[in-house]
Amino acid sequence: MSLQLKWLHQFQFAGYYVALEKGFYRDTGLEVEIRSGGPGIDAMVDVASGKADFGVCMTGVLLPRPSQPKVVVLGVIFQHSAANILVPSRARINALPELKGRRLMDASGSDDLAAMLKQQGVDYAALPRVEHTGNPLDLVAGKADAMVSYVTNEPFVLEQNRVPYRSFTPRTFGFDFYGDNLCTTDALALRKPAMVQAFLAASLKGWDYALANKQEAVDIILRGYPVIKSRDALVFEAVRTEALIEPGLIPLGSQSPERWNAIARIYQDLGMLPKGKLPAPPIYQTSEDRFLYWLKLTAVTALLLLAGAGTFLLYRRANRTIVSQFRLSYVMAGLFVCLSIPILIFILVFNHQKNSEAIVTILQEQIAKSRSATIESIENLMRGVGGVLGLLAESAAAQPSFFRTEDSRDALYRVLTSSTQIDAAYVSFEDGYHRVVTRVDEDRKRADTQIPPGANWHSSYIEPFSTGLSRDRHRTFYDAWPNVIGRYSAPTSLDIRALPGYAAARDSHALYVTAPSINPDTGYPIISARYPIYTTDGEFLGCASVNITFDVLSRYLSTQRPSRHSVTMIADPNDGKIVASSEREKAVKFAGGTLQIATLATVDNADVRDAYRRHVETNRDNFVFKSPQNGRELSASFARFPETFGSPWQSVILTPTDDFVGQLRETNQKIVLTIVTLTAIELAFIFLIARRLTRPLERVTRELEAIEDLTFRESHDPSSKIKEIAQLQTAATLLRSSLQSFASFAPVEVVKGLVKSGIPLTLGVEKRPLTVFFSDIEAFSTHAEHSDPDQLLRQMSTYFDIVSKAVTDESGTVDKFIGDGVMAFWGAPLELPDHVLRACHGALRAVHRLSAANETQRAAGHLAFRMRIGLNTGDALVGNVGSTERFSYTAIGDAVNVASRLEGMNKQFGTTICVSETVVNAVGPRIVVRPLRRIAVKGREQRFMIYELLGVRDSDDPELKAADHALELSKLTEAASALFEAGRHREAATAYRNILGRHPDDPVAKAMLELPELAARKMGVP
């Protein structure tokens, strides 16, 4: 067997090396050859073509490759993609949108990076490219501004060389692709299932061993394979690899349909998969899985057939055996039970469901409010911190000597007390001088026993490096500022320049917020914000900084929970490190005798760990699940901070739904018991009342039975007190008397039936030449999402009124409203010789009137509608279409379908009214149009030209006349289109660019230049 790697030998493939070295493959009877990858080698292609039996593939297995065999994923090794964009701080790229126009060392194959850049408004294809040498030090040398890299590899080189950098990972922006996975062809899996399963099991065993014994795995790689990495680099890669695999959270090899579907939807958004139905997840199914699937399907089918047959047999038997008829009193009581009880149950269930939905909505709103408040407050905190630090840095740049004096303590104290979340404020200089003012909390007192018990504030300074190796830190303590209660000095070797974020702030010339780290003063976690100090001459002096403790953030989160049992956390989505937690004590943990920052995968809260696992496995941000601890229902919400925040954080909120619906469930249980009891009592009363009501009816029945036999007898039964029953008794008496009188003369034949004549409407169509009109609203879903429902309804009514009036003004027929769309036609039921021109008039009037209405909407602060229209003329079937019971007057046929497709073509070209070639042929000299391109419509083999309608030629009507530049635009576009259709693409691209030169906002020219035939010409490719 052969295994094709996707890159050169390194720890990325350690599990396979270990499985081979330790004999795991050999134990299953397999002889495996591991082939190195590299530039130009596509493991999936080699697997599909049969060059390799197995391969290390990417999520590209989802993409269609009609000419190649189907590839399936045996198991996912990397739960997260290792791809990232690496940016040195010196490039001053602090957010992805700032990457526009910057040089990128690119490596193909990272589709999640393309999705991330697209979301942030960066055209991946348009970025200037630099040859990817694989050496991140090229970034330091200025050969490029950013590079595509792996978080397991290139960052090691930068960290070894103490080069500060930023890393933009797709996972931070919500694009969590699988990384490496083990794949093979579906044909091989079906042909040799035992061998494939054995290979998968041995490979997973190898990975399990490699992650548990990283040093030994590194030795195996160095000893047996040609590698270009050092031992330290491989160990670094091993640690980072484990974080991407997450073996402690998710079983090795796990994959889920939900996660594959989420990835497929991103591919659809990128245009790499067609819209519509998602492809089947490429998950390998064992023979046992296939057998169980068909067994379950067969069992369910058999049960349904047996149930149906049993029901039918019981019904037949009941019909044969039940010969007696039921008494009315029993029927009435039974009907009450059958009708009222289900209704009561339905009302109860419906009421509970609606109440639950309402309360869950309230829960979600509370979670959203809490999340928004948390994010907004922390954003405001960091924004305020940035502002204060900027002022502090300006002061230090203007008067650096001032911050080397004791008088500067008050300035730092004011910075410290500007926000309760700030734990320390300090200024650090390049020469080693450092001055700080801090709060004194219990963490500091535990870390330093020399701090006076009554101290609440502390200031200190560290001497510069010029004093020699023996530098001292001089500390002063206060109970109330500035009342001193103690001092002491102690030697220190602290170099602030080596602390996280110092070099990054220096190189980026901007505020830098660090990842969580351990405070050297207290031994507990903090977040630092640093602002560089630069003189007006551009000389770097040092950094102004503040520290924010987890304890302060955690106390804040505990007050922002949606309910008293909720858990709120802030974490880094890349590594799961917890920044703050409403359960303060769980934000950190002791491991190996040292304090470490907890992660979502290791935090001492089983509910959080399980929610994080589900989040990773399914890629869902909001879901409900059962607690693994006590089975209670929990709502989980994961939300990323805005990209403008500057740090890749996300909020995590877990809320027991019982905090909101628990009381409702108890109330419903009591209501059920009450209803059952009252129903039983009511049923007894109903039966008694029914007996009283049915006795007169039973007497009438007996009298009618006698009349049927023509055995007439006098009735002495008392009249009922109920009006309707009394009338029935009277009628029965009258009938008896009448029949008795009539029977004295002749036999009676009663003629029953009433015939009414009339001319009913019938189904039928006729063939007519029609001009068909389709319109809809651009981005209607977005409007609906962001608009008030009542306001949206008013705007929609205005839109429908405008379109309907425009159609009827031109003697057209409005067929139907389809969501936000309108279908109309001209030429039926009234025949119109000029129906094509009238349709053009109607379309132009609708657009003009909607534009006028939009001005009113904008003035009122509402979103404006932009409509898109398609027009086509041709023969169609028109008439009454539908079922025998219900039908409508409409048109059907190819002409209608083409008009509908033309309306959708406006989206591609940014146009408003798109008309077909037949429309232009019919009224071409009388309208102003410009050609777009030839297209093919589904169901038609022949391609035809489509046009944009710009106006009516020589018209003085303001609703119909074309814009001043329309004729020029029409001629320019006609010339460019002719070149394009003639295959002269270079000249066509030039012509369209000339149009943009004269009309920079022309959407048609832009759209045409984006076509593959012209895009290459746009880049200068012959």
Side-chain angles (χ1 to χ4, degrees):
M1 294 290 104
S2 57
L3 170 65
Q4 178 62 60
L5 307 181
K6 69 175 191 177
W7 196 243
L8 305 176
H9 294 296
Q10 53 188 358
F11 197 91
Q12 181 180 358
F13 314 109
Y16 310 116
Y17 306 140
V18 169
L20 185 63
E21 177 75 14
K22 293 293 182 180
F24 300 155
Y25 289 133
R26 190 167 50 253
D27 293 344
T28 60
L30 299 176
E31 292 295 330
V32 177
E33 174 194 2
I34 299 178
R35 299 173 182 170
S36 174
I41 295 177
D42 189 327
M44 187 177 66
V45 171
D46 284 357
V47 168
S49 64
K51 292 180 181 179
D53 299 301
F54 302 94
V56 177
C57 301
M58 298 289 286
T59 53
V61 295
L62 276 169
L63 302 179
R65 289 177 173 81
S67 61
Q68 294 182 354
K70 179 182 177 183
V71 175
V72 294
V73 175
L74 302 178
V76 170
I77 307 302
F78 283 49
Q79 291 296 323
H80 311 289
S81 169
N84 75 330
I85 293 180
L86 204 61
V87 177
S89 296
R90 55 159 290 279
R92 302 185 192 179
I93 298 174
N94 299 311
L96 272 179
E98 298 173 10
L99 195 61
K100 293 178 181 178
R102 308 297 289 271
R103 296 166 300 162
L104 176 69
M105 289 203 312
D106 189 23
S108 61
S110 298
D111 301 324
D112 47 350
L113 293 181
M116 174 183 70
L117 291 171
K118 180 180 179 182
Q119 183 203 65
Q120 294 301 300
V122 179
D123 187 348
Y124 187 26
L127 290 175
R129 296 303 202 277
V130 175
E131 181 183 359
H132 199 299
T133 63
N135 184 5
L137 293 180
D138 285 348
L139 296 174
V140 182
K143 295 180 180 180
D145 300 304
M147 76 179 297
V148 172
S149 74
Y150 267 21
V151 296
T152 53
N153 294 336
E154 286 80 0
F156 171 78
V157 177
L158 296 184
E159 292 180 13
Q160 286 292 101
N161 288 273
R162 301 186 67 178
V163 176
Y165 64 88
R166 283 185 183 273
S167 174
F168 297 104
T169 59
R171 188 178 173 195
T172 302
F173 295 85
F175 301 101
D176 194 5
F177 276 33
Y178 284 133
D180 291 1
N181 58 69
L182 187 58
C183 65
T184 188
T185 59
D186 190 49
L188 179 61
L190 291 173
R191 190 170 68 252
K192 298 181 178 180
M195 182 271 289
V196 169
Q197 292 175 43
F199 182 84
L200 173 61
S203 298
L204 295 180
K205 186 176 180 181
W207 269 111
D208 189 56
Y209 188 94
L211 294 175
N213 303 273
K214 298 182 186 66
Q215 293 291 346
E216 183 180 349
V218 168
D219 290 336
I220 291 173
I221 297 171
L222 291 172
R223 185 173 61 246
Y225 299 90
V227 293
I228 59 175
K229 289 186 174 183
S230 66
R231 167 177 286 277
D232 289 342
L234 288 172
V235 171
F236 176 90
E237 183 187 3
V239 174
R240 291 291 185 94
T241 294
E242 185 173 28
L244 297 174
I245 294 175
E246 299 205 83
L249 182 70
I250 300 172
L252 271 168
S254 295
Q255 53 184 324
S256 69
E258 296 90 349
R259 186 88 172 274
W260 280 114
N261 288 339
I263 296 170
R265 280 188 284 270
I266 295 172
Y267 275 126
Q268 285 184 332
D269 186 55
L270 289 172
M272 300 172 72
L273 276 176
K275 297 291 186 181
K277 185 179 179 181
L278 296 174
I283 300 175
Y284 164 66
Q285 285 189 318
T286 64
S287 54
E288 291 80 4
D289 293 335
R290 298 171 192 263
F291 174 75
L292 288 175
Y293 170 79
W294 287 108
L295 181 63
K296 290 178 181 178
L297 185 62
T298 303
V300 169
T301 303
L303 286 174
L304 290 175
L305 289 174
L306 287 173
T311 302
F312 177 75
L313 290 174
L314 286 173
Y315 173 77
R316 291 288 301 273
R317 183 177 180 85
N319 276 346
R320 288 196 299 266
T321 57
I322 299 175
V323 293
S324 60
Q325 295 178 323
F326 298 105
R327 297 178 64 92
L328 181 60
S329 57
Y330 297 151
V331 172
M332 290 181 66
L335 284 174
F336 169 77
V337 173
C338 294
L339 296 178
S340 62
I341 298 301
I343 291 174
L344 289 174
I345 293 174
F346 171 78
I347 292 173
L348 179 64
V349 172
F350 181 80
N351 182 63
H352 177 266
Q353 180 181 353
K354 290 301 179 183
N355 287 340
S356 298
E357 289 176 357
I359 293 178
V360 169
T361 300
I362 294 173
L363 164 65
Q364 293 172 344
E365 291 176 352
Q366 290 297 325
I367 291 174
K369 288 179 181 178
S370 175
R371 179 175 62 240
S372 298
T374 299
I375 294 175
E376 183 178 355
S377 297
I378 293 177
E379 279 189 300
N380 290 337
L381 164 67
M382 301 310 296
R383 193 178 297 115
V385 165
V388 171
L389 283 180
L391 293 174
L392 183 60
E394 287 181 8
S395 299
Q399 293 181 300
S401 59
F402 171 72
F403 287 91
R404 297 174 186 267
T405 67
E406 292 296 325
D407 292 339
S408 63
R409 293 180 302 184
D410 289 333
L412 292 175
Y413 175 76
R414 286 193 294 273
V415 173
L416 175 66
T417 55
S418 66
S419 173
T420 56
Q421 282 82 11
I422 298 177
D423 179 65
Y426 48 100
V427 175
S428 312
F429 293 98
E430 275 285 275
D431 65 356
Y433 189 89
H434 170 72
R435 182 172 289 276
V436 62
V437 174
T438 74
R439 302 177 193 272
V440 177
D441 55 15
E442 295 304 316
D443 288 346
R444 278 194 167 82
K445 290 178 181 178
R446 281 193 297 268
D448 187 353
T449 57
Q450 296 187 65
I451 297 177
N456 293 310
W457 309 95
H458 151 259
S459 73
S460 67
Y461 70 92
I462 299 176
E463 298 165 343
F465 297 123
S466 60
T467 59
L469 296 177
S470 179
R471 301 162 63 219
D472 287 335
R473 182 173 187 175
H474 306 280
R475 312 188 71 176
T476 305
F477 300 93
Y478 314 81
D479 55 358
W481 191 270
N483 185 42
V484 178
I485 62 172
R487 288 189 175 93
Y488 79 86
S489 299
T492 182
S493 60
L494 178 64
D495 184 354
I496 296 295
R497 299 175 304 175
L499 292 183
Y502 184 93
R506 176 195 65 206
D507 291 350
S508 64
H509 289 237
L511 176 71
Y512 188 88
V513 180
T514 69
S517 61
I518 301 298
N519 189 339
D521 284 348
T522 66
Y524 281 82
I526 58 166
I527 301 162
S528 299
R530 310 198 190 283
Y531 204 98
I533 303 172
Y534 277 93
T535 66
T536 55
D537 297 332
E539 179 187 358
F540 176 69
L541 300 182
C543 283
S545 309
V546 296
N547 289 347
I548 301 171
T549 65
F550 277 28
D551 191 55
V552 173
L553 279 177
S554 296
R555 281 200 302 270
Y556 173 78
L557 291 181
S558 67
T559 65
Q560 293 295 320
R561 294 179 294 174
S563 69
R564 61 193 183 94
H565 296 114
S566 296
V567 174
T568 302
M569 293 183 175
I570 297 174
D572 187 328
N574 290 317
D575 54 18
K577 279 188 178 180
I578 296 174
V579 177
S581 170
S582 58
E583 297 179 331
R584 295 159 50 195
E585 69 284 355
K586 295 182 180 179
V588 293
K589 64 174 184 175
F590 280 95
T594 60
L595 191 69
Q596 296 181 357
I597 299 171
T599 68
L600 294 176
T602 62
V603 65
D604 185 20
N605 185 318
D607 293 337
V608 174
R609 294 197 303 271
D610 193 53
Y612 180 59
R613 177 184 61 80
R614 293 171 184 269
H615 171 64
V616 171
E617 285 184 334
T618 64
N619 207 29
R620 288 186 296 162
D621 292 333
N622 298 284
F623 52 89
V624 175
F625 69 104
K626 296 291 185 181
S627 167
Q629 298 184 100
N630 49 34
R632 64 178 178 173
E633 188 178 72
L634 298 171
S635 172
S637 173
F638 291 75
R640 291 174 295 281
F641 276 57
E643 287 74 19
T644 55
F645 179 66
S647 293
W649 291 356
Q650 68 177 356
S651 71
V652 182
I653 300 177
L654 264 62
T655 303
T657 57
D658 274 348
D659 284 0
F660 290 84
V661 299
Q663 186 63 41
L664 173 67
R665 288 171 178 159
E666 293 180 7
T667 301
N668 279 338
Q669 290 175 357
K670 294 177 181 178
I671 291 175
V672 169
L673 292 175
T674 302
I675 287 178
V676 170
T677 303
L678 292 177
T679 301
I681 296 172
E682 189 176 7
L683 185 60
F685 280 107
I686 289 290
F687 182 77
L688 294 175
I689 294 172
R691 287 292 299 156
R692 295 291 301 271
L693 290 174
T694 56
R695 282 173 183 167
L697 292 175
E698 290 173 354
R699 289 193 288 267
V700 172
T701 300
R702 288 193 296 270
E703 186 171 354
L704 291 175
E705 289 175 349
I707 293 173
E708 184 180 3
D709 294 335
L710 297 180
T711 55
F712 306 112
R713 61 179 181 83
E714 291 292 331
S715 175
H716 302 286
D717 296 329
S719 178
S720 173
K721 302 296 183 182
I722 298 174
K723 180 179 179 180
E724 287 77 5
I725 297 179
Q727 291 176 339
L728 182 62
Q729 289 175 317
T730 302
T733 302
L734 180 61
L735 176 62
R736 176 176 54 79
S737 300
S738 299
L739 285 177
Q740 187 175 7
S741 300
F742 192 71
S744 302
F745 297 95
V748 178
E749 291 185 2
V750 180
V751 179
K752 299 178 181 180
L754 179 63
V755 179
K756 294 183 179 180
S757 62
I759 303 175
L761 293 174
T762 59
L763 294 172
V765 295
E766 61 177 323
K767 190 174 183 181
R768 285 264 192 102
L770 299 180
T771 301
V772 185
F773 167 110
F774 273 92
S775 77
D776 79 343
I777 296 172
E778 182 178 85
F780 179 74
S781 298
T782 303
H783 285 290
E785 182 179 355
H786 294 93
S787 299
D788 175 77
D790 293 335
Q791 174 58 31
L792 181 63
L793 179 60
R794 287 192 290 272
Q795 285 187 258
M796 288 296 295
S797 298
T798 301
Y799 158 67
F800 286 136
D801 287 342
I802 288 171
V803 177
S804 300
K805 187 67 165 57
V807 171
T808 55
D809 284 351
E810 294 295 335
S811 304
T813 301
V814 177
D815 185 336
K816 59 175 71 71
F817 301 109
I818 314 166
D820 62 318
V822 180
M823 175 183 171
F825 49 82
W826 281 260
L830 297 177
E831 292 187 5
L832 299 170
D834 58 345
H835 59 86
V836 181
L837 184 61
R838 285 179 177 272
C840 294
H841 288 183
L844 290 168
R845 293 189 191 281
V847 172
H848 185 274
R849 294 173 186 179
L850 182 62
S851 178
N854 282 336
E855 295 299 324
T856 304
Q857 296 295 339
R858 291 191 186 97
H862 303 306
L863 294 174
F865 284 168
R866 181 178 183 272
M867 68 187 300
R868 301 180 297 204
I869 298 173
L871 285 179
N872 181 49
T873 187
D875 290 338
L877 297 177
V878 61
N880 294 323
V881 178
S883 68
T884 55
E885 296 180 356
R886 184 169 182 176
F887 45 83
S888 63
Y889 188 79
T890 188
I892 57 176
D894 180 67
V896 178
N897 296 336
V898 171
S900 175
R901 300 297 188 275
L902 291 179
E903 179 273 317
M905 293 304 296
N906 286 293
K907 181 177 181 181
Q908 178 178 341
F909 293 99
T911 52
T912 301
I913 306 175
C914 188
V915 302
S916 67
E917 194 172 44
T918 55
V919 171
V920 175
N921 291 339
V923 293
R926 304 177 67 178
I927 58 176
V928 181
V929 295
R930 60 168 171 168
L932 300 178
R933 70 169 299 180
R934 291 188 176 276
I935 65 167
V937 176
K938 184 177 181 181
R940 275 192 175 194
E941 295 182 1
Q942 186 176 5
R943 300 171 66 86
F944 61 91
M945 178 64 74
I946 61 174
Y947 298 80
E948 180 186 12
L949 176 62
L950 301 175
V952 175
R953 195 179 300 273
D954 301 327
S955 174
D956 295 326
D957 189 330
E959 291 185 346
L960 303 180
K961 68 178 182 179
D964 295 336
H965 64 279
L967 290 175
E968 177 195 18
L969 196 58
S970 174
K971 292 179 181 178
L972 292 174
T973 309
E974 184 175 356
S977 177
L979 292 172
F980 176 82
E981 297 298 335
R984 296 160 64 182
H985 294 155
R986 181 185 297 277
E987 297 171 69
T990 300
Y992 281 114
R993 283 197 292 273
N994 290 338
I995 294 174
L996 286 179
R998 297 182 64 84
H999 305 279
D1001 296 324
D1002 182 46
V1004 173
K1006 291 179 180 179
M1008 292 299 295
L1009 286 172
E1010 293 299 324
L1011 293 177
E1013 298 92 330
L1014 299 187
R1017 314 301 172 188
K1018 183 179 177 182
M1019 300 299 294
V1021 178

